[in-house]
Amino acid sequence: TQQYFSNGSFITAEQLGVETLAITAVERYQDKLFVTQDTNPAFVTILDVNTKEVIGRIEGVDTPRGYQAYNRINEISITDGRLYVSSLSSNRVDIFDLENNNELVVSLGSGTGSWSGSNGLIHAQASAATKDYVFVTDAQTRISVYRQKDLTLDNPNYAKRAGFLTF
């Protein structure tokens, strides 16, 4: 079991429909709890906080290149109604609109599952967002910077980074 927050509630493998837990992150948004299962394939389970029932699952994204499942998920975060899913082995961060039925807004990275290319993320580690920017750390000890104004439904397939910060 995995305890979340300080309210004494526990998440069990049975509750998530898996044999063993591989949780790397838990985030709450309104009455929903988002729980990662860092396996291959990986997914985010959505639990109703009040009923403790599974109400959804995010397993990957549909792209022009076909369905892209998560190979691993090492971190999630929520900022301003958006869920940021950092997928280490998928080399991307997917951003979902929690106010619009978890619709994919945009993916950050190359879009091929590969770390290569001018917009590639090499094993996305984590992300942090502000009103104006999204910052993504990767295995190359760099921080990719994206402008929130560029991360829209009009630009859903692999937004370009604005630049880098370095550690």
Side-chain angles (χ1 to χ4, degrees):
T1 61
Q2 175 68 47
Q3 185 173 9
Y4 71 93
F5 304 119
S6 59
N7 65 2
S9 294
F10 288 86
I11 298 168
T12 65
E14 179 181 68
Q15 188 177 14
L16 297 181
V18 297
E19 290 187 26
T20 59
L21 291 179
I23 295 173
T24 54
V26 177
E27 288 284 335
R28 183 175 179 163
Y29 182 74
Q30 298 173 349
D31 288 339
K32 297 175 185 170
L33 199 64
F34 295 80
V35 182
T36 63
Q37 180 70 9
D38 183 32
T39 51
N40 190 358
F43 51 88
V44 177
T45 300
I46 306 168
L47 296 169
D48 182 294
V49 172
N50 299 313
T51 66
K52 298 182 175 53
E53 297 294 322
V54 172
I55 57 173
R57 185 176 276 181
I58 299 171
E59 299 175 329
V61 295
D62 285 313
T63 73
R65 294 176 181 93
Y67 185 76
Q68 300 288 319
Y70 292 116
N71 297 331
R72 302 273 314 271
I73 298 175
N74 52 304
E75 192 264 350
I76 59 174
S77 63
I78 297 174
T79 302
D80 293 332
R82 287 184 166 185
L83 172 68
Y84 298 79
V85 179
S86 299
S87 181
L88 175 95
S89 295
S90 299
N91 300 298
R92 69 179 194 265
V93 175
D94 294 329
I95 304 172
F96 297 92
D97 183 352
L98 300 181
E99 295 295 324
N100 194 15
N101 200 31
N102 306 329
E103 180 177 25
L104 176 68
V105 175
V106 69
S107 289
L108 309 177
S110 68
T112 64
S114 170
W115 54 266
S116 63
S118 63
N119 204 41
L121 289 170
I122 302 174
H123 298 307
Q125 303 289 314
S127 64
T130 68
K131 181 178 140 231
D132 297 317
Y133 298 100
V134 176
F135 305 95
V136 179
T137 62
D138 70 13
Q140 292 295 102
T141 65
R142 62 185 183 178
I143 300 170
S144 294
V145 180
Y146 301 86
R147 290 183 184 96
Q148 286 281 13
K149 69 179 183 175
D150 297 334
L151 308 180
T152 68
L153 290 171
D154 298 330
N155 186 22
N157 296 311
Y158 310 100
K160 302 293 183 215
R161 74 172 57 84
F164 291 107
L165 302 176
T166 58
F167 288 115

